[in-house]
Amino acid sequence: MAANSRLTIAVHALTWMALAERRGRQVLTSEQVAASVRTNPVVVRRSLGQLRQAGLVTVRHGVGAGWSLARPPDEITLLDVYAAVEREPLFALHHSEPNLACPVGRGIRPALGRFYGDVDQALRRELARTSITDVLDETVTDVRDETLETGQEPGLE
Amino acid sequence: MAANSRLTIAVHALTWMALAERRGRQVLTSEQVAASVRTNPVVVRRSLGQLRQAGLVTVRHGVGAGWSLARPPDEITLLDVYAAVEREPLFALHHSEPNLACPVGRGIRPALGRFYGDVDQALRRELARTSITDVLDETVTDVRDETLETGQEPGLE
DNA sequence: CCGGCTGTAACAGAGGCTGTTACAGCGAAC
DNA sequence: GTTCGCTGTAACAGCCTCTGTTACAGCCGG
């Protein structure tokens, strides 16, 4: 278990929802998504819950409940997903306050904050360049020949 | 304790070494650096050890031992420090293999790997734009009036 | 040889993430 | 209104990372 795979889980879920939508299935349950990601349905619900709070997906309760995309998948970018799922800044400043008697200790936090802000902006600009549709197209490109043309269903049910 | 502050610690250490160098002190001990960062000397040695492996600093043993910059500080970029200090990729892929019976499960990992690679490149491009000298100048700008002109020493000894 | 500092192992505490169980709540369908 | 399936969420365990700390061997200039 290394870094944090929340962005991957969320994008995987959205990508599969986009594929299902293309095939006319508008609603998926957390269990169906979990079958593709191969994790526990609760993990998927936690992830989709964050996406719901960000307005990227909608949920229906009651019998026949499940999740749907709230927007066309080409209007959902990786930046939207990242912002919904990651709260911590990319780089943390000092955990304990540095020595304010030292010029570096006193001045480095605002300075680093500015540079880190620039890096964060660059990261977000790049994330905004890719949509869920882009991910889906790139994903199925790799498997089109083996699977899609045989009409296989998108995942276990 | 939130995210990871290793980049901050390493940049802080290098920035202070650059300031000390400007003032004619070529060698600093881990304890002197730790006094500015306000952490344990072992933490500093761990961090500087990674920078040494990356060729950014040199170390002297024996009496009068300590650390020096291996290159002029304007030739050390935040990317150099980042590469020396961070090993994990920015975003992790799935911990357990997704369901290969699903087209998304099968194709999404290489697809995401490509998009994540683009993001990583953008991040590194931005990090490469800033040098330790830039950080030092930005840092002392904030405190020049209060401290530098009074000739105060850079940190506790 | 001495003394000071590095290099590194070992360990503890805190916290995050994933995975899991359990259960209350909701609402469409009947 | 009842039923039933799924959501929403709490609670917990296991694992891992990071920071901080102690301890100690190794190195080398004087």
Side-chain angles (χ1 to χ4, degrees):
Chain A
M1 205 176 300
N4 161 329
S5 63
R6 273 180 301 175
L7 183 64
T8 293
I9 302 300
V11 171
H12 185 147
L14 292 171
T15 302
W16 194 36
M17 290 168 70
L19 177 58
E21 200 172 77
R22 269 192 198 174
R23 300 185 170 188
R25 306 185 62 220
Q26 299 297 331
V27 176
L28 292 177
T29 68
S30 64
E31 193 156 357
Q32 291 168 327
V33 175
S36 174
V37 180
R38 282 233 309 208
T39 184
N40 194 288
V42 175
V43 175
V44 172
R45 274 181 251 158
R46 277 201 284 244
S47 179
L48 290 179
Q50 295 180 298
L51 301 182
R52 177 176 54 77
Q53 286 176 19
L56 304 184
V57 300
T58 57
V59 65
R60 277 188 14 176
H61 282 253
V63 174
W67 305 83
S68 306
L69 297 180
R71 300 208 291 260
D74 62 333
E75 294 177 17
I76 301 177
T77 71
L78 295 190
L79 174 58
D80 296 322
V81 185
Y82 175 77
V85 148
E86 300 284 351
R87 296 159 191 182
E88 296 295 331
L90 202 50
F91 301 120
L93 294 180
H94 308 66
H95 290 169
S96 53
E97 191 172 66
N99 186 345
L100 301 185
C102 166
V104 174
R106 189 155 63 263
I108 199 167
R109 283 186 302 176
L112 277 184
R114 266 165 280 191
F115 292 119
Y116 287 175
D118 292 342
V119 174
D120 190 59
Q121 284 302 310
L123 178 86
R124 289 171 186 269
R125 255 196 311 277
E126 184 66 30
L127 285 170
R129 294 184 55 223
T130 303
S131 72
I132 294 297
T133 298
D134 296 331
V135 176
L136 175 56
D137 290 342
E138 184 87 4
T139 295
V140 297
T141 291
D142 292 334
V143 294
R144 179 172 299 145
D145 296 335
E146 348 163 9
T147 307
L148 292 196
E149 292 177 354
T150 68
Q152 189 171 328
E153 272 303 296
L156 302 178
E157 317 263 323
Chain B
M1 204 177 302
N4 161 327
S5 62
R6 273 179 301 175
L7 183 63
T8 293
I9 302 301
V11 171
H12 185 148
L14 292 172
T15 302
W16 194 36
M17 292 168 69
L19 176 58
E21 200 172 76
R22 270 192 197 173
R23 302 184 171 190
R25 306 185 63 219
Q26 298 297 332
V27 175
L28 291 177
T29 68
S30 64
E31 193 156 357
Q32 291 167 326
V33 175
S36 174
V37 181
R38 283 232 309 205
T39 183
N40 193 288
V42 175
V43 174
V44 172
R45 275 181 251 157
R46 276 202 285 245
S47 180
L48 291 178
Q50 295 180 299
L51 300 182
R52 178 176 53 78
Q53 286 176 19
L56 304 184
V57 299
T58 57
V59 66
R60 277 190 14 176
H61 282 253
V63 173
W67 305 83
S68 307
L69 297 180
R71 300 209 290 261
D74 62 333
E75 293 177 18
I76 301 177
T77 70
L78 295 190
L79 175 58
D80 296 322
V81 185
Y82 176 78
V85 148
E86 299 284 351
R87 297 158 190 181
E88 297 293 331
L90 202 49
F91 302 119
L93 294 180
H94 308 67
H95 291 170
S96 52
E97 191 172 67
N99 187 345
L100 301 184
C102 168
V104 174
R106 188 155 62 263
I108 200 168
R109 284 186 302 176
L112 276 184
R114 266 166 282 191
F115 292 119
Y116 288 175
D118 292 342
V119 175
D120 191 60
Q121 285 301 311
L123 179 85
R124 290 171 186 269
R125 255 195 314 275
E126 185 65 31
L127 285 170
R129 295 183 56 222
T130 303
S131 72
I132 293 298
T133 297
D134 296 330
V135 176
L136 176 56
D137 290 342
E138 185 86 5
T139 296
V140 297
T141 290
D142 291 334
V143 294
R144 179 171 301 144
D145 295 335
E146 349 164 8
T147 306
L148 291 197
E149 292 177 354
T150 69
Q152 190 172 328
E153 273 301 297
L156 302 177
E157 318 263 323

